[in-house]
Amino acid sequence: MGADLRTWPGLPYALLFLEWEARYPLEWTQHAKAWGTKESLIRTVARAAQEEAIRAKLTDLVELVVIRAYRCKDREYVRVARVVDSADLRGRLERAADSDSPWARCHAGYVLWLLDRPDIPNTRRVWQTWVAGEAASLL
């Protein structure tokens, strides 16, 4: 696949695969569980800015992922959020960060925090430190 994802014939299927996992996690786990594939596809779609329709789809995916319970490789969506960063995405993340859901508050807060700090890497250690701080603030 070349650098221009708009011409990649697999893009609609990659987006569908990621949407399936985001919207129907139990069914996806039962029939298609492939964490490495999920991670690889997220990294692929986050490599380059996209046309508006694809950016909108990716923004929807980031929102879907942050409002549900965290699943394996979800942290990779920070890559996507950094590529499609916009007032629309930040508004959605702010609403999620203010929601009644502790999952949404934690994950959306983390993504917003990293969007404001592009120099901080999205590592497992950074995520674990963020989660530990959020859990401590709930006690």
Side-chain angles (χ1 to χ4, degrees), residues 17-31:
F17 181 88
L18 294 172
E19 184 176 6
W20 180 22
E21 191 275 336
R23 289 189 186 277
Y24 307 102
L26 298 177
E27 292 82 354
W28 181 88
T29 300
Q30 182 180 2
H31 299 289

Side-chain angles (χ1 to χ4, degrees), residues 2-100:
D4 188 359
L5 292 179
R6 292 171 297 184
T7 61
W8 177 42
L11 182 60
Y13 304 105
L15 293 172
L16 184 60
F17 181 88
L18 294 172
E19 184 176 6
W20 180 22
E21 191 275 336
R23 289 189 186 277
Y24 307 102
L26 298 177
E27 292 82 354
W28 181 88
T29 300
Q30 182 180 2
H31 299 289
K33 181 180 172 185
W35 301 118
T37 301
K38 175 184 174 182
E39 179 180 41
S40 174
L41 291 175
I42 293 169
R43 288 179 178 194
T44 297
V45 300
R47 256 193 258 143
Q50 301 296 325
E51 62 188 38
E52 195 54 39
I54 295 169
R55 289 178 63 84
K57 184 63 144 178
L58 294 174
T59 299
D60 291 345
L61 277 171
V62 171
E63 180 183 29
L64 280 170
V65 168
V66 301
I67 62 174
R68 66 159 189 206
Y70 184 88
R71 289 176 48 88
C72 185
K73 307 297 181 184
D74 278 356
R75 185 176 49 82
E76 293 294 327
Y77 277 98
V78 169
R79 294 173 187 269
V80 175
R82 283 178 164 167
V83 169
V84 299
D85 190 8
S86 66
D88 177 38
L89 175 64
R90 287 176 182 254
R92 294 180 193 202
L93 292 172
E94 287 167 3
R95 283 188 296 280
D98 289 337
S99 76
D100 292 336

